[in-house]
Amino acid sequence: MSSAEKNSMAGNMVHPDPNLSSSSGDIDEYRNSSFNGYEPNRNSGEGSPMMMSPWNQPGGAWSAPSKNSSQQLQNSLIGSLVREEGHIYSLAAKDDILYTGSDSKNIRVWKSMKDFSAFKSNSGLVKAIIIADDKIFTGHQDGKIRVWKISPKNPSVYKRSGTMPTFFDIFKASIKPGNYVEVRRKRSAVWIKHADAISCLSMDKDTGFLYSASWDKTFKVWRPENSKCMESVKAHDDAVNSVVASTAAMVYTGSADGKVKAWKREQKGKACKHTLVKTLLTQESAVTALAVSDSDKVVYSGSSDGVVNFWEVEKQLSHGGVLKGHKLAVLCLAAAGSLVFSGSADKTICVWRREGQAHTRLSVLTGHTGPVKCLAVEKDKESAAEEKWVVYSGSLDKSVKVWSVSEMAPDMQQIQNGNFDWDSIPSAKY
């Protein structure tokens, strides 16, 4: 295990000893040090402090919160999904169907918050999940993307329909010496395959292109209908932790090198090329997460120092400000409507509301006993009267929590009369 991975493992499990504590350097699944190429015998779960923890025990079930006043809050906990089969690293939600990826190699399917199905890949940690029409794409530790389809005969059965890149494409590319690129000192590989773990996936809704970011310092562009890698971009000087495709052919990347970059896609026929437009941020702290607002007007980045930066697209990507609400690293971001959600190693989720150029923190969602690693947001279809969202948060405590969040909720300053108190915030504590 590399020093970067040792620095990034978390020690906060379910039912933690109150005498134990976490630190900002304890989080896996973003890189905050120099690149180390993928090694086939390296499995991020085996032998890690998390896997060897005395709190890493099997078992579990779905649980709903008790009937108490906290359920009446506009931002409240609906329930917890627990299987205790692995730490949750990735989420994707659509139409009350939730997919969860973990270091157990299982992709579990939840329907209406009930355990519905599961499918397994023997390729290590599931780092990213994307839902696109009738397909599910998963990014893995071994640098490959798996493609899954739902069986037309049985909606609870999922079958693998392909891998990107395909074995044939790798073989064909390996014949030509010009297809090899250096991925680390004295080691080269074909450019169509990631040479290290995939950290993030993003889908361009306009073109249908799939983007993958990797610890090998690149992002790649895929055409899902034929599983072809269209382009590989050497984007950063260290691991790429996040990639987000936006409208107007814009793509954003965030890296352990402390930079956020904006790229423009130019398409000529079937070929495409991405050109660097602007470096939005240069800092010492690793960039750990990215998100773009629903209106594509604001770009957000989370960092290992616990800060969220944002830029206004319509103002030539000028820096709009900084959101400070976390004590430890921001590990994930999500945006929906006028809201932005930031999940952190401090085990909390901050809910921010954007009004013009200003951002107000509405609440802090607490309840996880480990770092919050991933977020997914869906429109609450049962709430027609107001803008409400169902928020899923996955954690290294092996659970997914489900929250109901309203855009109309009063902000923390209104409730606290200007006095911020971490112990009496408008959230659901369990």
Side-chain angles (χ1 to χ4, degrees), residues 293 295 297-300 308-324 338 340 352-361:
S293 66
S295 59
K297 292 181 179 180
V298 186
V299 179
Y300 298 90
V308 176
N309 284 273
F310 65 94
W311 296 264
E312 298 179 50
V313 176
E314 293 179 339
K315 294 184 179 181
Q316 286 74 51
L317 290 167
S318 61
H319 188 253
V322 174
L323 308 179
K324 295 182 178 180
S338 64
V340 181
W352 310 85
R353 181 170 58 206
R354 180 172 56 86
E355 298 172 275
Q357 297 178 4
H359 287 73
T360 303
R361 181 166 48 180

Side-chain angles (χ1 to χ4, degrees), residues 3-20:
S3 60
E5 288 177 301
K6 290 179 181 177
N7 289 335
S8 65
M9 303 307 289
N12 295 74
M13 301 296 102
V14 153
H15 313 305
D17 188 320
N19 295 320
L20 294 178

Side-chain angles (χ1 to χ4, degrees), residues 251-262:
V251 178
Y252 304 95
T253 56
S255 168
D257 64 10
K259 294 180 180 179
V260 176
K261 294 183 178 182

